[in-house]
RNA sequence: GGGCGCAUAGCUCAGCUGGGAGAGCGCCUGCCUUACAAGCAGGAUGUCGGAGGUUCAAGUCCUUCUGCGCCCACCA
């Protein structure tokens, strides 16, 4: 029977299905274990898994799996977001293909289409997350519009309304004339566009003068209700208080006012004021009690207030008005101007500030609580700079417009009577609370999608009910998300959590970078440069994708995605597969390796292996466990992964496995005990590393772990899995990192062996000794301790260097003639290579060695000669430098001049 | 206009609280050594963007300049 040499990624689905069936992802609110909670950033129901999701969820899964193995009751709460406008836009596009509009379907009919859509596609991303290996508690999967979460939304709206924190008001909102809805500031994207600055003038009433000004939007002149100059601007001092005439329609006369808002340095120092269509002007209008003239229809056409221009589009009106001003001699000039234009991030339409009756959340107090959370240290970001972004936004926040003129979403629970009285209630009220009118109509608008996701960390746990889940799992431990939604989401969750749960929803926020294409550009549909994670999973397996995503880069920075980076990762997993294959073939003992911390500890202490290499690798295991734990807890996942990879590939495969081969293959009768010990240690060290790796590459590690545990005889890896179906690595305890398991003596000794082996190999290569030629190696140790060390590992050294035998002489023995020497710590190694020794070249080689040592010594001497260094550097460092100098000097002395 | 990030080997990037420059890929040499050629052994490669400064000591901290990139912003 043959064991496959190549690891098979196609087993992932089967393994996942077994985990799910076994209920391994479930988190129990009644558990005694300490909780560890993460709520997933709910993907939109329109979403298909992209690289950003793959990275985001890999990070979360690594943390959750690690904590689960550490013994926490780990809950990863999954779910999806209804994504009001995004979903509505997509479904409308689908309907448009059939020539249907949402108006034709009516509200009920359209919503039914949306629910159908959700039924069909809302779960797509969930199944895709499963193929990535995510260990979410799927039975708890929530949706922002399901019953419980909708109840939470209504509860919050009503409470805030009753507290006066939610109000309805006519304000300027960002209006998308295409989507026919208001959008939040955060949904407006500003892009610098080449445009024009139009210079015009208005006649000043009662004089022959004109006052000139500039604007980028001439059509808004139709709504001008003032002209403003800077207070104290001498040029216009005489005009303030007079009136200018808008030369359209009835020739409206508007006041010339002075306001701080005007920058006298800019342009002519004069600004026309359009309170109904510009946020700044709106403020000016409030200060000066100016009328607001709305000149736009919802579709962007000029309305009746625009008189003769009514019915024109924004663009057409702009041109016609400019022409008309020219005709009246009031046009001065146009100058080119690059300036930022606001566009709707969903459809790219230029956003119009427009007056609308909308619902707002008053932000001052809520913002303050979110600021407090950060300033008090109760909320931490993985990098300070993200905290600054958060604070900067909060310090400049404006009231949050929460009503959207859409149908898909949580409908605003406000009801109006014929008189226009407002009644807010979770359930439809029987009568107006003001006048008792029974004929009520509900507000047609729905809430901003972030209104519901702001509640996600506690609404998913059952709030407003007092549930065991809330008690156990709130607040959550960490939020892992993208830089792009700090304002949209993170901020709003923080103040919502503090407001309704009296506690921040998470203590840590981990912001990770963006996955870019190979050229450093964002992956986007329009560029067509996206890489589908599912294709990568198909080709390489989820393990490879996951490990690659978190390796070799720091997660808070953006990363470029190269397919070429997948191969080294795949190669590593194949290496691990083969290492396990080797261990199972050469150490097929029926005896299981110790499983718990206690067992490992007692193994290492009471049954301390007698062989140095066993002690060494177990010591390295304990250090690895400590380092990996530290790095994961510091959320340095890439460094943690690197440590594990290095351990498995370098320490375990390249050194330890080779070192123990002589013991495994020894034929002597008395070799049994040593062989058993080697086999046990092989299995213990490997399974330790596999457990530490599991959070990163869950599938392959499950296979290998079960194979190692259950292997009875030398069966195939795959066969043994079925026999141990009830067991899993997911709940295996992590290897002990107890510092008492560190064996510094063994570490130092193995370092010496490695040094010697490397030296011998280098000489072999340099002398071009073919690997097939078995050479002789003679070691002359400096003392008995070194002699014992080299003797105990002579077979290993022979195997590692391709030597026929390694002879260890007594300290002080005579060096063999005609041999090449390799100087190591506390030993000189001779390779009798008569035929190959070229006296001249050998002298040159030794001279080079000497020079290297002399340089090292000189460097240290320079340091030690520096009085400042001696006086101010830590004493331990100085001592270490001295020790190194002594060692180098000793080695130098051994190289014959 | 404000804020932030990046600049380290040919390429892609690590390098956390300052103490002898690293990895992977690529490249050169030699190996199908009975776990693995998706492998093994050996090797070459860097004024750590420029200039100042702090320090006994700077890739690491400060200032400044240059070149990319991102975010925020109501300057008409």
């Amino acid at each position: 029977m043959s064991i496959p040499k190549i690891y098979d990624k196609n087993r992932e689905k089967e393994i996942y299905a077994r985990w799910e069936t076994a209920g391994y992802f479930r988190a129990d609110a009644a558990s005694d274990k300490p909780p560890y909670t993460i709520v997933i950033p709910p993907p939109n129901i329109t979403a298909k898994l992209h690289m950003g999701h793959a990275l985001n969820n890999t990070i979360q899964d690594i943390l959750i799996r690690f904590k689960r193995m550490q013994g926490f009751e780990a809950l990863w709460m999954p779910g999806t977001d209804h994504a009001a406008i995004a979903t509505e836009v997509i479904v409308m596009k689908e309907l448009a293909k059939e020539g249907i509009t949402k108006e034709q379907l009516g509200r009920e009919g359209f919503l039914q289409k949306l629910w159908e859509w959700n039924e069909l596609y809302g779960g797509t991303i969930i199944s895709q997350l499963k193929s990535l290996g995510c260990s979410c508690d799927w039975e708890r999967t929530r949706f922002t519009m399901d019953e419980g979460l909708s109840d939470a939304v209504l509860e919050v709206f009503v409470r805030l309304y009753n507290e006066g924190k939610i109000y309805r008001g006519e304000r300027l909102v960002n209006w998308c004339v295409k989507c026919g809805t208001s959008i939040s500031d955060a949904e407006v994207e500003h892009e610098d566009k080449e445009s024009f600055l139009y210079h015009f003038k208005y006649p000043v009433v009662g004089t022959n003068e004109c006052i000139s000004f500039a604007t980028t939007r001439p059509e808004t002149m139709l709504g001008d209700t003032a002209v403003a100059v800077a207070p104290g601007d001498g040029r216009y001092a005489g005009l303030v208080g007079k009136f200018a005439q808008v030369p359209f329609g009835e020739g409206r006369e508007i006041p010339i006012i002075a306001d701080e808002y005007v920058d006298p340095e800019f342009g002519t120092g004069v600004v026309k004021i359009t309170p109904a269509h510009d946020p700044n002007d709106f403020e000016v209008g409030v200060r000066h009690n100016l009328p607001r003239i709305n000149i736009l229809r919802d579709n962007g056409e000029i309305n009746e207030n625009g008189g003769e221009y009514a019915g024109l589009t924004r663009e057409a009106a702009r041109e016609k008005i400019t022409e008309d001003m020219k005709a009246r001699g009031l046009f001065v000039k146009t100058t080119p101007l690059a300036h930022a234009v606001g566009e709707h991030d969903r459809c790219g339409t230029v956003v119009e500030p427009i007056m609308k009756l909308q619902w707002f959340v008053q932000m001052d107090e809520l913002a303050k609580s979110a600021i407090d959370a950060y300033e008090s240290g109760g909320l931490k970001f993985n990098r300070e700079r993200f905290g600054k972004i958060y604070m900067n936004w909060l310090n400049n926040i404006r009231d949050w417009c929460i009503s959207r003129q859409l149908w898909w979403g949580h409908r605003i629970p406000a009801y109006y009577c014929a008189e226009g009285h407002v009644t807010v209630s979770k359930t439809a009220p029987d009568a107006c609370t003001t006048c008792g009118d029974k004929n009520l109509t509900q507000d047609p608008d729905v809430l901003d999608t972030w209104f519901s996701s702001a509640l996600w960390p506690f609404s998913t746990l059952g709030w407003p009910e007092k549930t065991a889940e809330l008690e156990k799992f709130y607040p959550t431990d960490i939020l892992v998300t993208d830089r792009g939604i700090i304002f949209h989401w993170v901020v709003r969750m923080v103040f919502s959590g503090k407001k309704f749960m009296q506690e921040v929803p998470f203590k840590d926020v981990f912001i990770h970078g963006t996955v870019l294409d190979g050229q450093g550009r964002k992956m986007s549909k329009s560029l067509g440069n996206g890489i589908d994670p599912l294709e990568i999973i198909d080709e390489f397996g989820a393990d490879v994708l996951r490990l690659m995503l978190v390796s070799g880069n720091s997660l808070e920075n953006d990363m470029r995605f190269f397919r070429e980076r997948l191969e080294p990762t795949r190669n590593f997993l194949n290496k691990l597969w083969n290492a396990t294959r080797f261990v199972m073939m050469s150490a097929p003992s029926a005896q299981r390796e110790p499983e718990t911390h206690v067992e490992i500890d007692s193994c290492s202490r009471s049954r301390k292996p007698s062989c140095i290499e066993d002690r060494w690798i177990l010591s390295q295991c304990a250090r690895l466990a400590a380092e990996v734990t530290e790095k994961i807890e510091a959320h340095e996942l890439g460094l943690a992964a690197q440590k594990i990879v290095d351990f498995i590939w370098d320490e375990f495969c390249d050194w330890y496995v080779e070192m123990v081969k002589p013991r495994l293959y020894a034929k002597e009768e008395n070799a049994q005990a040593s062989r058993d010990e080697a086999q046990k240690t092989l299995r213990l060290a490997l399974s330790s590393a596999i457990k530490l790796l599991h959070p990163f590459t869950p599938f392959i590690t499950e296979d290998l772990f079960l194979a190692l545990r259950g292997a009875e005889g030398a069966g195939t890896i795959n066969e043994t899995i079925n026999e141990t179906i009830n067991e899993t690595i997911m709940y295996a305890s992590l290897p002990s990192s107890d510092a008492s398991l560190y064996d510094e003596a063994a570490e130092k000794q193995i370092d010496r062996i490695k040094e010697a082996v490397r030296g011998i190999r280098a000489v072999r290569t340099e002398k071009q000794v073919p690997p097939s030629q078995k050479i002789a190696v003679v070691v002359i140790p400096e003392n008995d301790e070194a002699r014992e060390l080299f003797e105990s590992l002579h077979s290993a050294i022979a195997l590692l260097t391709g030597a026929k035998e390694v002879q260890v002489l007594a300290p002080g023995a005579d060096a063999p003639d005609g041999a090449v020497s390799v100087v190591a710590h506390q030993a000189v190694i001779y390779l009798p290579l008569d035929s190959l020794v070229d006296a001249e070249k050998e002298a040159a080689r030794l001279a080079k060695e000497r020079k290297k040592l002399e340089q090292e010594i000189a460097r240290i001497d320079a340091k030690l000669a520096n009085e400042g260094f001696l006086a101010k550097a830590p004493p331990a460092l100085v001592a270490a430098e001295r020790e190194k100098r002594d060692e180098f000097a000793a080695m130098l002395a051994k190289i014959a001049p």
Side-chain angles (χ1 to χ4, degrees), chain A residues 280-294:
Chain A
N280 284 313
D281 296 6
F282 184 89
E283 299 296 327
V284 174
V286 169
R287 283 197 285 276
H288 297 269
N289 214 2
L290 300 172
R292 301 165 191 156
I293 303 173
N294 181 14

Side-chain angles (χ1 to χ4, degrees), chain A residues 110-172:
Chain A
F110 183 61
L111 286 179
Q112 188 174 337
K113 290 281 180 197
L114 274 147
W115 280 109
E116 281 168 14
W117 204 91
N118 181 43
E119 201 64 37
L120 278 173
Y121 302 109
T124 303
I125 188 129
I126 300 285
S127 65
Q128 292 174 333
L129 288 172
K130 289 180 181 178
S131 65
L132 187 65
C134 295
S135 60
C136 298
D137 188 350
W138 299 113
E139 290 177 31
R140 297 184 187 276
T141 304
R142 304 305 298 266
F143 174 51
T144 46
M145 276 178 66
D146 68 24
E147 208 177 322
L149 273 65
S150 297
D151 184 58
V153 165
L154 296 180
E155 177 76 21
V156 164
F157 188 96
V158 171
R159 277 206 215 174
L160 289 176
Y161 178 80
N162 289 338
E163 287 178 28
K165 294 265 185 295
I166 282 183
Y167 64 89
R168 194 175 182 223
E170 190 163 68
R171 290 295 168 91
L172 275 188

Side-chain angles (χ1 to χ4, degrees), chain A residues 366-627:
Chain A
L366 294 171
K368 191 177 176 308
S369 80
I371 290 170
D372 288 347
Y374 181 73
E375 286 184 339
S376 68
L379 176 77
K380 289 199 184 71
F381 287 81
N382 55 329
R383 289 292 183 276
E384 203 184 332
R385 64 176 192 263
F386 300 128
K388 282 185 190 164
I389 293 176
Y390 169 95
M391 289 296 282
N392 188 44
W393 162 268
L394 281 167
N395 284 324
N396 295 297
I397 201 162
R398 295 196 285 172
D399 283 357
W400 175 18
C401 175
I402 51 171
S403 42
R404 293 297 127 92
Q405 291 64 49
L406 305 170
W407 290 351
W408 179 238
H410 302 96
R411 193 158 170 186
I412 291 175
Y415 303 81
Y416 311 113
C417 68
E419 297 295 313
H421 300 141
V422 181
T423 302
V424 167
S425 165
K426 278 179 84 170
T427 53
D430 295 332
C432 172
T433 47
T434 308
C435 65
D437 186 349
K438 287 192 163 29
N439 200 0
L440 299 176
T441 51
Q442 185 172 2
D443 194 301
D445 291 354
V446 300
L447 290 164
D448 180 10
T449 193
W450 301 102
F451 194 91
S452 53
S453 39
L455 318 177
W456 188 250
F458 48 92
S459 63
T460 51
L461 294 171
W463 190 90
E465 302 298 319
K466 284 188 175 151
T467 61
E469 279 75 11
L470 268 180
E471 182 63 30
K472 176 84 182 171
F473 296 112
Y474 190 93
T476 70
D477 289 85
I478 188 168
L479 178 80
V480 180
T481 192
D482 196 80
R483 194 187 317 124
I485 55 176
I486 292 178
F487 323 122
H488 280 118
W489 196 41
V490 179
V491 165
R492 288 167 181 160
M493 279 192 288
V494 172
F495 66 65
S496 302
K498 287 199 71 175
K499 174 81 184 167
F500 298 103
M501 291 296 296
Q502 291 73 48
E503 227 176 330
V504 289
F506 30 76
K507 304 148 209 160
D508 281 312
V509 181
F510 186 95
I511 303 288
H512 61 253
T514 311
V515 185
L516 307 170
D517 74 358
Q519 294 172 51
R521 302 170 305 180
K522 273 189 184 164
M523 292 186 186
S524 71
K525 272 184 201 148
S526 53
L527 280 174
N529 60 345
I531 297 167
D532 184 354
L534 294 164
E535 275 177 29
I536 303 294
I537 290 171
D538 252 9
E539 193 179 342
F540 290 90
D543 283 340
V544 170
L545 176 63
R546 290 166 59 114
L547 186 55
M548 175 275 195
L549 282 172
V550 299
S551 297
N553 56 305
S554 52
L555 297 175
E556 71 275 8
N557 292 339
D558 290 352
M559 65 169 294
R560 299 188 194 192
F561 190 98
F562 292 95
R563 296 184 121 260
E564 300 78 61
R565 285 188 51 211
L566 292 159
E567 281 190 27
T569 310
R570 178 202 57 187
N571 293 353
F572 164 70
L573 293 184
N574 192 53
K575 181 79 180 175
L576 174 62
W577 176 269
N578 278 294
T580 309
R581 204 160 67 90
F582 169 79
V583 170
M584 290 185 59
M585 288 191 299
S586 49
S589 163
Q591 188 171 351
R592 286 184 178 177
E593 82 283 6
E595 184 44 35
T596 65
H597 292 183
V598 177
E599 282 173 276
I600 290 174
D601 288 356
S602 64
C603 155
S604 301
R605 286 204 192 98
S606 66
R607 203 177 45 73
K608 193 166 189 169
S610 51
C611 291
I612 291 164
E613 65 271 30
D614 294 348
R615 285 164 47 203
W616 165 73
I617 198 72
L618 293 178
S619 177
Q620 295 295 299
C621 270
R623 283 194 196 275
L624 178 70
E627 286 167 349

Side-chain angles (χ1 to χ4, degrees), chain A residues 1-13:
Chain A
M1 112 185 30
S2 70
I3 300 170
K5 288 184 177 183
I6 304 292
Y7 123 80
D8 176 16
K9 93 254 175 203
N10 292 319
R11 295 187 25 76
E12 292 185 348
K13 274 197 174 60

